[in-house]
Amino acid sequence: MTLPEKVRQLDMYSSAREIMSMHTDDTHAALDAVFVPEKAQTLWGDLGVGAVHDLNPTPEQANAIQRWVISHNRLGIPALFIEEGLHGYDTGTVFPAPIGLAGTWDRDVARETGAAIASEARSHGVHMILGPVLDLARDPRWGRVEEDFGEDTYLTGQLGLAYVRGMQGDTLASDHTTIAEPKHFVGHGSPEGGQNTSPVHMGERELRTEMLAAFEPAFREGHAMSTMAAYHEIDGIPMTADPLVLKQILRGEWGFQGFVLSDLGAIRRLYEDHRVAPSPQAASCLAIRSGVDMQFYDFDHEVFQKALQDCVSSGSLPIKDLDRAVRGVLRVKFMLGLFDHPYVDPALMARTERAPAHLALSLRSARESMTLLKNENHLLPLAKTIQRIAVIGPNGNIARYGDYERETNGKRISILDGVKAEVPGASVTFDDGKDIASAVAAAKQADVVILGMGEWQGVEGEGFDRMNLDLPGNQEALLEAVAATGKPMVLILENGRPLTIGWAKQHIPVILEAWYPGEFGGQAIAETLFGDNNPAGHLTITFPKSTGQLPMYYSSDPSRVHKYVDDDGKPLFPFGWGLSYTTFHYDRLAAMPSKQGDNAEVHVTVDVTNDGSRDGDDVVQLYLRRDFSSVETPERELKGFLRVHLKAGETKTVSFELSPRDLQIWNAQQQWVVEPGSYTLWAGDSSLANLKATFILR
């Protein structure tokens, strides 16, 4: 390949405006738009194109572009089509937001969701999805918490692995799989002050044992073929200029063979914000030299491509680094089978998009994500004989989807829709709560009040960080005024982050956390309220009492002081918390080391009994502590989990296998070791688990 041909493979192009006859916005071509070759010739010439983005094409549009690209470059290299698909591809099935998906604690649902999104995208001719997000959500003021799987390293790693395996399948050379791109590499979920793209403060040990460990299974075991280098810096080193994480760890230690895409503008930040590069040329070459492989609209295409060529010519960018980047991009294209089968069958989309199995999966995920935080005096489930129901609040009559999804897509089943369908014989009224007096009047006429509250796009999401976590707008005043009526009351939260709802916990008998539950959310909520769905979701992120407690996550180091003069240091709701309409009992926790030393393995069993009167699911959680170690380690860490279904009165023995990787630490000598000594385990259904066992490694 010539030098210009090589650098062209490292550039991604926006397309809806640039090469199509019509577009609906900056990211979508109109459905009846046609590809305009003259525009493509001006934009791309005869050098081909690395990747196409912000198009969301129909199959016919993707095929027309691909056919032109292949025929208009000397080597016939196809283009890579890349799009968003955080919890659903474009107009396809709308799944629960990732924070809700995580609340299922169900690896199968995560895997199947990844597979469904990939198949719908591939049927459009799209080859790569920008996800999943494997940041650890350690500061809920950050607006992108909803994109994550929560605060925990192990849970995020396991769900991320399942998601990637679903998305990439057994082979990428198919009509139903896509490249997965775990992001934002790495540590992006712990920004200073919870503000997006701000610096992250930690050392290499925390980076390795917490942040990188959340990504590692997706690459080592799931073989994810792309990742996105994040905006931020750690200890003065921006991610797009950090060879430690992009070369030594990602490629050298984990064996990554794919390509690294910069986040949108992250390379430009090297010059404009971080100021570690004195020019666009220097920033472009520094990124490639450090391990980035493709830019994401960072600089004008001519500036970026000329910069790489000039740096190679001057020797400031070694040709081996440029070739590494090109090999990564081409390897992905070969693995996708694009050189042999570059086009998509136009008939595939009709069979795949919004397929009945995908819609059923979205509903299943929503049901499994329902997280019951409080159920005083067993008010839930509600009787279907209730005659008068008032649905009140800003989220009561709209399906909240969360960021990266249009709320005009999908079935849009709201809480109000779901309740009306669940109890068709009841009189169900709605008030949005803008006029509190009107809402109170509606509540007084009801037998039970259902409050639909929380957040929405523009209050949370990318770029919408918050100084406090209270209910936004007039919702707190509305909540307290309606509660003063004395009516039986259920608070339903649809939101993308934990909220400081201390008053509600004290005064509202029922709190159901629904997160952003996708297009069937209202149905899943109503089924839960009236007992057709026994809730079993559990929190994957701690709810603080106030922002003054932040950061607050369950696995902090034991030396942290958790008490202020005006606070007892305890969370509002702890990590792993979730109630059911039945009860579970844990017993006979046992740990049996089968190997010792650096190859230590421990077999763990615990008995779980449904000692209530209803069938139900519970999430069995296993936590570990190193009683003493050469470096400080958390008070307890999640090391195993399994969602299990038990009939009333049934007992199951649940087994976990702890591997050396589960037991190892990054010591002061910067080595991974399994240290001898005493270890403590806890098993239960939250991070407050108190059933305990110990074992000793020698």
Side-chain angles (χ1 to χ4, degrees):
M1 297 177 70
T2 65
L3 191 54
E5 288 172 336
K6 289 180 179 180
V7 299
R8 178 58 64 83
Q9 290 300 308
L10 310 184
D11 211 350
M12 183 166 73
Y13 286 78
S14 176
S15 299
R17 288 178 174 271
E18 284 76 2
I19 60 173
M20 305 302 293
S21 62
M22 295 180 289
H23 58 89
T24 58
D25 55 31
D26 288 342
T27 63
H28 287 76
L31 290 178
D32 56 348
V34 296
F35 168 63
V36 182
E38 294 79 11
K39 291 185 176 182
Q41 183 66 51
T42 301
L43 185 65
W44 294 332
D46 297 321
L47 290 175
V49 60
V52 171
H53 182 55
D54 280 339
L55 177 64
N56 289 286
T58 65
E60 293 80 5
Q61 290 167 345
N63 285 342
I65 296 167
Q66 190 73 279
R67 190 170 289 109
W68 188 93
V69 169
I70 291 172
S71 64
H72 283 75
N73 73 91
R74 182 176 65 90
L75 300 173
I77 300 173
L80 185 69
F81 287 80
I82 302 173
E83 298 294 352
E84 303 286 355
L86 184 64
H87 50 112
Y89 172 72
D90 196 29
T91 56
T93 307
V94 182
F95 293 93
I99 192 69
L101 168 62
T104 70
W105 294 64
D106 191 326
R107 293 174 176 87
D108 289 340
V109 168
R111 176 181 52 79
E112 292 172 26
T113 299
I117 293 172
S119 65
E120 294 192 2
R122 193 71 184 259
S123 75
H124 282 252
V126 172
H127 312 117
M128 176 171 149
I129 291 295
L130 299 179
V133 176
L134 302 185
D135 301 317
L136 299 187
R138 292 290 173 85
D139 192 325
R141 292 173 296 182
W142 186 49
R144 306 190 74 171
V145 168
E146 61 161 280
E147 301 180 34
D148 297 356
F149 292 144
E151 71 184 40
D152 184 67
T153 299
Y154 181 79
L155 179 66
T156 295
Q158 290 297 299
L159 294 180
L161 170 60
Y163 199 97
V164 166
R165 281 176 167 167
M167 189 160 275
Q168 296 195 166
D170 295 328
T171 176
L172 289 165
S174 77
D175 62 3
H176 59 273
T177 53
T178 64
I179 296 295
E181 187 225 38
K183 63 181 185 179
H184 307 84
F185 205 66
V186 60
H188 194 57
S190 301
E192 182 178 273
Q195 293 183 298
N196 195 43
T197 76
S198 290
V200 173
H201 303 290
M202 67 183 64
E204 185 179 345
R205 192 195 69 80
E206 183 178 357
L207 180 67
R208 282 181 174 271
T209 59
E210 299 283 331
M211 307 304 164
L212 284 163
F215 281 85
E216 187 173 1
F219 293 109
R220 277 190 182 270
E221 301 171 59
H223 308 292
M225 291 305 295
S226 185
T227 191
M228 179 178 281
Y231 289 116
H232 66 274
E233 53 91 353
I234 300 178
D235 196 23
I237 308 296
M239 285 295 103
T240 50
D242 193 342
L244 171 65
V245 297
L246 297 181
K247 283 186 168 181
Q248 178 180 324
I249 296 174
L250 180 63
R251 291 181 168 91
E253 298 177 22
W254 296 356
F256 177 69
Q257 293 292 307
F259 75 96
V260 176
L261 174 67
S262 76
D263 205 343
L264 199 162
I267 298 175
R268 187 174 66 248
R269 284 173 60 87
L270 298 177
Y271 165 59
E272 294 181 350
D273 298 292
H274 301 303
R275 294 189 295 171
V276 298
S279 65
Q281 180 190 67
S284 300
C285 298
L286 173 60
I288 302 298
R289 193 166 62 245
S290 300
V292 177
D293 301 314
M294 182 181 286
Q295 78 152 353
F296 194 143
Y297 312 162
D298 293 88
F299 296 110
D300 289 344
H301 303 292
E302 295 80 3
V303 171
F304 175 75
Q305 293 172 35
K306 184 177 187 301
L308 300 190
Q309 295 180 64
D310 289 347
C311 288
V312 169
S313 299
S314 69
S316 59
L317 175 61
I319 189 65
K320 67 177 182 179
D321 282 314
L322 185 77
D323 287 348
R324 176 216 71 236
V326 177
R327 280 196 300 269
V329 174
L330 293 179
R331 184 179 294 114
V332 163
K333 292 182 177 183
F334 273 109
M335 292 179 69
L336 286 161
L338 298 184
F339 285 87
D340 298 318
H341 303 286
Y343 310 116
V344 61
D345 178 1
L348 180 62
M349 188 181 77
R351 301 193 303 269
T352 304
E353 187 169 68
R354 299 184 58 75
H358 298 169
L359 300 178
L361 176 62
S362 178
L363 176 57
R364 175 189 170 190
S365 183
R367 287 169 172 161
E368 290 194 13
S369 72
M370 293 294 117
T371 305
L372 186 60
L373 301 181
K374 182 182 178 183
N375 190 19
E376 189 175 276
N377 298 323
H378 305 288
L379 178 59
L380 293 188
L382 298 172
K384 293 187 179 181
T385 55
I386 292 175
Q387 293 299 303
R388 298 175 301 172
I389 301 170
V391 177
I392 295 173
N395 287 354
N397 193 25
I398 185 170
R400 296 295 188 193
Y401 289 166
D403 204 7
Y404 283 95
E405 184 60 68
R406 298 180 180 185
E407 290 182 339
T408 54
N409 289 341
K411 291 187 176 293
R412 308 189 298 277
I413 301 176
S414 69
I415 296 172
L416 182 64
D417 295 331
V419 170
K420 285 183 174 179
E422 186 73 7
V423 282
S427 171
V428 184
T429 61
F430 171 71
D431 190 292
D432 62 14
K434 292 178 181 177
D435 183 330
I436 294 179
S438 171
V440 168
K444 288 179 178 179
Q445 299 301 312
D447 298 320
V448 66
V449 176
I450 297 171
L451 291 165
M453 294 185 166
E455 295 181 299
W456 45 83
Q457 294 179 15
V459 170
E460 55 67 49
E462 183 174 3
F464 295 98
D465 312 313
R466 296 182 61 193
M467 290 179 62
N468 70 73
L469 301 175
D470 299 338
L471 287 164
N474 75 337
Q475 291 182 92
E476 185 65 33
L478 173 65
L479 175 73
E480 296 183 21
V482 174
T485 66
K487 295 289 185 175
M489 193 163 301
V490 177
L491 172 61
I492 299 168
L493 295 174
E494 291 181 287
N495 46 297
R497 55 158 75 86
L499 299 174
T500 48
I501 51 169
W503 192 93
K505 184 182 179 183
Q506 285 186 310
H507 297 93
I508 305 299
V510 175
I511 304 174
L512 179 68
E513 176 58 79
W515 301 112
Y516 292 126
E519 61 180 280
F520 294 94
Q523 178 179 340
I525 290 168
E527 290 174 346
T528 304
L529 295 181
F530 291 92
D532 289 335
N533 177 55
N534 190 352
H538 286 251
L539 294 180
T540 64
I541 186 167
T542 302
F543 273 51
K545 291 178 182 174
S546 72
T547 53
Q549 291 180 314
L550 300 178
M552 182 172 239
Y553 49 93
Y554 86 96
S555 58
S556 58
D557 287 346
S559 63
R560 176 177 175 176
V561 178
H562 285 275
K563 185 173 178 60
Y564 296 94
V565 296
D566 53 353
D567 178 70
D568 62 7
K570 296 179 181 179
L572 192 66
F573 296 105
F575 175 87
W577 183 259
L579 302 175
S580 170
Y581 296 151
T582 188
T583 55
F584 300 91
H585 176 70
Y586 287 73
D587 196 17
R588 298 171 58 85
L589 175 63
M592 295 152 281
S594 57
K595 292 183 181 180
Q596 295 284 346
D598 287 343
N599 295 317
E601 294 179 353
V602 182
H603 178 66
V604 182
T605 58
V606 63
D607 289 349
V608 187
T609 300
N610 179 347
D611 56 6
S613 59
R614 294 178 57 126
D615 299 352
D617 290 7
D618 200 17
V619 176
V620 184
Q621 301 166 41
L622 181 70
Y623 294 88
L624 176 141
R625 180 185 71 197
R626 301 160 188 85
D627 294 334
F628 296 93
S629 51
S630 62
V631 295
E632 188 172 6
T633 57
E635 183 64 28
R636 61 174 67 185
E637 298 175 90
L638 184 71
K639 290 297 180 182
F641 67 90
L642 185 68
R643 185 177 177 123
V644 295
H645 180 77
L646 293 100
K647 296 179 180 179
E650 182 182 7
T651 297
K652 285 185 178 179
T653 299
V654 177
S655 299
F656 299 100
E657 304 295 332
L658 298 180
S659 69
R661 187 166 293 172
D662 296 317
L663 302 169
Q664 69 187 4
I665 64 171
W666 182 255
N667 68 11
Q669 288 72 46
Q670 297 185 316
Q671 296 174 325
W672 288 112
V673 295
V674 177
E675 294 190 335
S678 173
Y679 292 72
T680 299
L681 292 172
W682 293 268
D685 55 8
S686 82
S687 56
L688 301 181
N690 56 20
L691 180 63
K692 184 166 63 174
T694 61
F695 64 90
I696 295 176
L697 294 180
R698 297 179 174 84

